[in-house]
Each structure stands twice: as C-alpha cells, then as structure tokens.
C-alpha cells in the first residue's frame, strides 16, 4: 500500500512540476519573446536550465523550510495529505495554464498548504497574514512604478538605451572561414545586441529565482512525508518543469508577450527589471514572491503609463478627452527623436495607437490569477475538513 501511495505521489509531483514550467516561463521570458529576441523553444530551454540550477543550489533550503513556518507541526504532512495537497496545486495551475494565463505557483502552493493547516488546526495565521499583505502590496508597487516610468521616464530611458528591434535575425553564422562563427545579423546594431543580451539575462535570473522557490512547491510535501530523498526529488521536479516549459508554456508566453501589449525591446527591459527587482527584494526578506502577478501588473502598468502621455491630467478630469490605453503606446518614441511634453503628443503619432488596450484580455488575466489560488486554497480546505472530520 505504501508503494502505491508513493507512486501516486510521484505522478502528482510530475504533474505539479509540469504546470510550474507552464506558468513561470511566461513571466520570465514573455517580454523577450514578445520583443522578438527569443523563440518560444529557446525560452523553454533557458527556463529549464536556469530553473534546474536554482533548484539544485538554493532551492533545497526552501524545501527544508517550507513546512516549518506556515504550519506549526510538519507532522501534518503524511503521504496521504501530501498527495492531496499536490493534487490541488497541480490541478489549480493546470486551470490557469489551459486558459493561457500564468498563475502564481507560490500563491497556489501556499494556499493548498494553508488549506491543510487550517483544516488540521495547525496554520500559523501570523505568518500567513504577513505573506498575504506582501502579496497585495508587491503587485501594486510593480504597477505604479511601471506607470510612472511609462508616463514620465520612458522617453528618456529609450534615448539612453536607444534600442530598436530590427528586421531579420539578431545573430547570424559566418561560414566563410574554416570554423563557423557567430556574428551580428545584417540589420543588427551592437547596441541592440547588448540590449537583447541584457533582456535575456534578466529572464535567466528570473528563471533561476523561480527554481530557488518553486521547486519546493512541487516536492516539499512529498519530501516532508519522507517518501524520497532530496536529490532524486529535485531531479524529478526539474525534469517535469522542463516538459512544461517546452509545451504548455507556449500559451502563457503568448499571453505575456503579445496578447496584453506589444512590447518593444526597451519596454521589455523595463518590465523585466522592475519585476525582478521586486521579486529579489521579497525573497531577501523571506517572503515567497509571486513574480507572475508582479510581472503581469508591470506590463499593464507600463502600457497604461505610456498611453496616457497623450493626455494631461487636467484634460482627463474635465472630460475634454477620453483616455484610452493603446497597446502600441509603448513603442512611441524612436531613439534620438524630440520628445514632446506630456499632453502635447498626438495619439496619431504613436505607432499602433488605433489599437486600443484589450480590456477583455486584461480582465481575464486578473480574474484567473486570483481564481487559481482561491481554487487551490478553498478546495484543499474543504477536502481536508471532510477527511479530518469524517474519514481520519
């Protein structure tokens, strides 16, 4: 019987890892894919590599401590309860991935464990409250920082960075010599290449950060139950994440990279820097960071901030002009162009200004990113309450 439970637990762990790969690849590499720097296949490969590095190094510490503070006693993790917790984590994440919306693995996993802890009377409400407060504050910080950058600083940053997305391949291969060597593409400037390298590097950093925290979401319950050792579980979870990053992540990459807003290279770098800075800051103080939500709100905030440059605050208040958010607003100024003051820009001069920001896509993203963790939390609590009350 124990062997059967372990086998079921491993299958559910693989399912959770698969969905973690699908939900975290979009926020990490969606900006790079949306800017045309990486293909979806390359994004999946990089996600798998750097997630594995993060999981194998720092991730094992998170696995050791995940059940230590959120619940008073780790004895609540048995093979049976671990399987149920993993089922709700994987199932809820699958709902988000199927809808093409990257849900927060940290919120979903913590929600399932909190459901178990609450039903068993072992949940540490002080720790849970502290985590919840930061989950509310951090996306708002990402959104408003990005709004301010988009409205007031983006033109200046664009001139400093001076990156444009050229036609053709970013890197080509020179086969004229004895040994083929990589060279810049025919239309690629050195500055564009450096900017693209920075953008990809930030994505790799986010993938590494995801590995340090999210591997615990897949294997910590099973490890706490004593089913297998740390190293085999990390390898198993990393393999499942790789499959998810190369398959179902294509949906979330499309959502994060193009459906919400078309990201030029400069804007993609801004979003990645803002989101990764907040995630690293939260990780430094021991808060499981939801970089999925932070990155999404940063993308929305930057797009809205850029679009509202075409109207002044006074005009918006007086109702003289409708303030519509354009998906092309991020691509306004070309490097070196004269930047008009706020309120003096003509919406017709902004590339893509005729395409308004899609409220249905944004609404779907926000709805699903709140629904998935709630599904995990409520479902786990209800299930464990029934089990503890009538079965166990």
């Amino acid at each position: 019987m124990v062997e059967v439970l372990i086998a079921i637990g491993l299958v559910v762990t693989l399912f959770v890892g698969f969905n973690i790969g699908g939900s975290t690849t979009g926020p990490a590499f969606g900006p790079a894919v949306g800017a045309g720097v990486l293909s979806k296949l390359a994004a999946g490969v990089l996600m798998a590599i750097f997630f594995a590095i993060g999981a194998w190094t720092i991730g094992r510490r998170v696995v050791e401590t995940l059940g230590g503070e959120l619940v008073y006693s780790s004895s609540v993790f048995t093979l049976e309860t671990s399987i149920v917790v993993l089922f709700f984590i994987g199932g809820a994440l699958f709902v988000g991935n199927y809808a093409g919306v990257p849900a927060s693995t940290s919120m979903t996993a913590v929600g399932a464990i909190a459901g178990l802890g609450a039903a068993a009377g072992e949940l540490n409400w002080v720790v849970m409250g502290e985590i919840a407060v930061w989950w509310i504050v951090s996306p708002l910080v990402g959104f408003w920082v990005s709004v301010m950058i988009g409205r007031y600083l983006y033109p200046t940053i664009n001139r400093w960075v001076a990156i444009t997305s050229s036609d053709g391949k970013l890197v080509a291969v020179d086969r004229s010599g004895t040994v083929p060597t990589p060279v810049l593409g025919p239309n690629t400037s050195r500055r564009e290449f450096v900017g693209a390298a920075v953008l990809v590097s930030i994505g790799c950093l986010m993938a590494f950060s995801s590995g340090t925290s999210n591997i615990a979401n897949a294997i910590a319950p099973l490890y706490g139950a004593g089913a297998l050792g740390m190293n085999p579980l990390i390898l198993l979870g990393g393999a499942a994440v790789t499959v998810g990053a190369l398959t179902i992540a294509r949906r979330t990459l499309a959502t994060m990279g193009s459906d919400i807003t078309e990201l030029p290279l400069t804007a993609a770098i801004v979003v990645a820097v803002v989101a990764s800075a907040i995630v690293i800051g939260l990780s430094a103080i021991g808060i499981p960071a939801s970089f999925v939500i932070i990155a999404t709100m940063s993308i929305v905030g930057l797009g809205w901030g850029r679009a509202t440059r075409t109207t002044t605050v006074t005009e918006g208040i007086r109702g003289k002009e409708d303030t519509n958010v354009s998906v092309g607003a991020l691509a306004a100024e070309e490097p070196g162009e004269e930047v008009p003051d706020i309120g003096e820009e003509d919406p017709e001069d902004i590339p893509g200004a005729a395409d308004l920001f899609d409220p249905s896509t944004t609404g779907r993203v926000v709805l699903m990113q709140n629904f998935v963790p709630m599904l995990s939390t409520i479902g786990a609590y209800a299930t464990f309450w029934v089990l503890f009350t009538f079965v166990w």
Side-chain angles (χ1 to χ4, degrees):
M1 183 62 181
V2 174
E3 290 78 8
V4 173
L5 288 176
I6 292 176
I8 295 174
L10 292 176
V11 170
V12 180
T13 295
L14 289 172
F15 182 64
V16 173
F18 170 78
N19 283 284
I20 287 175
S23 64
T24 58
T25 304
F29 292 102
V33 171
V37 175
L38 286 178
S39 66
K40 292 179 180 179
L41 175 61
V45 171
L46 288 175
M47 182 69 197
I49 293 172
F50 285 92
F51 184 97
I53 296 173
W56 189 263
T57 54
I58 303 174
R60 60 184 65 244
R61 301 177 186 175
V62 183
V63 175
E64 292 280 4
T65 60
L66 183 63
E69 295 184 4
L70 191 56
V71 293
Y72 289 115
S73 174
S74 59
S75 62
V76 297
F77 289 112
T78 64
L79 278 175
E80 293 85 356
T81 60
S82 297
I83 290 172
V84 176
V85 166
L86 289 169
F87 171 79
F88 277 105
I89 295 173
L93 289 176
F94 180 77
V95 171
N97 288 333
Y98 185 79
V101 177
S104 168
T105 55
S106 293
M107 294 177 68
T108 304
V110 170
I113 296 174
L116 166 62
E122 296 286 346
L123 179 62
N124 188 332
W125 289 99
V126 175
V127 173
M128 188 67 238
E130 182 182 0
I131 292 173
V133 168
W134 279 110
W135 280 350
I136 295 172
V137 171
S138 57
L140 293 177
V141 172
F143 175 80
W144 284 110
V145 168
S146 298
V147 168
M148 294 299 102
I149 291 175
R151 184 168 174 81
Y152 299 106
L153 300 178
Y154 185 86
T156 302
I157 294 174
N158 201 36
R159 290 199 306 272
W160 287 347
V161 179
I163 298 174
T164 57
S165 298
S166 61
D167 295 329
K169 294 183 177 180
L170 193 67
V171 178
V173 178
D174 183 3
R175 303 182 184 275
S176 59
T178 305
V179 179
T181 56
V183 296
L184 295 180
N187 300 318
T188 304
S189 66
R190 185 176 299 275
R191 187 180 290 270
E192 179 185 357
F193 177 80
V194 172
V198 170
L199 180 61
V200 173
S201 298
I202 293 172
C204 292
L205 177 62
M206 295 182 73
F208 174 86
S209 175
S210 176
T212 63
S213 60
N214 287 324
I215 189 63
N217 300 332
I219 71 174
L222 209 56
Y223 176 76
L228 280 178
M230 177 79 72
N231 291 343
L233 283 173
I234 289 178
L235 293 175
L236 188 69
V241 169
T242 299
V243 176
L246 294 173
T247 55
I248 199 170
R250 293 175 177 271
R251 287 176 175 267
T252 57
L253 282 168
T255 299
M256 296 297 291
S258 59
D259 286 358
I260 293 179
T261 183
E262 297 289 342
L263 290 179
L265 202 51
T266 304
I269 290 176
V270 171
V271 168
V273 169
V274 170
S276 59
I278 295 174
V279 168
I280 292 172
L282 290 177
S283 299
I285 61 175
I287 301 297
S290 175
F291 75 83
V292 172
I293 308 294
I294 297 169
T296 301
M297 295 307 295
S298 295
I299 290 174
V300 174
L302 188 61
W304 187 48
R306 276 298 301 118
T308 54
R309 281 185 58 82
T310 62
T311 182
T312 63
V313 175
T314 303
E315 286 173 337
I317 293 175
R318 293 177 179 175
K320 292 183 178 179
E321 180 178 332
D322 292 333
T323 304
N324 290 322
V325 180
S326 166
V327 299
L330 294 177
E333 293 87 6
E334 288 297 321
E337 288 186 357
E338 200 67 33
V339 181
D341 293 332
I342 292 177
E344 295 181 2
E345 287 179 310
D346 186 348
E348 298 297 327
D349 295 334
I350 299 179
D355 301 317
L356 300 183
F357 189 87
D358 187 355
S360 63
T361 298
T362 303
R364 176 171 61 91
V365 169
V366 174
L367 175 64
M368 290 301 298
Q369 288 186 340
N370 284 276
F371 172 74
V372 169
M374 288 178 60
L375 176 64
S376 174
T377 305
I378 296 173
Y381 174 77
T383 300
F384 283 117
W385 183 84
V386 171
L387 291 175
F388 286 137
T389 303
F390 301 105
V391 179
W392 296 335

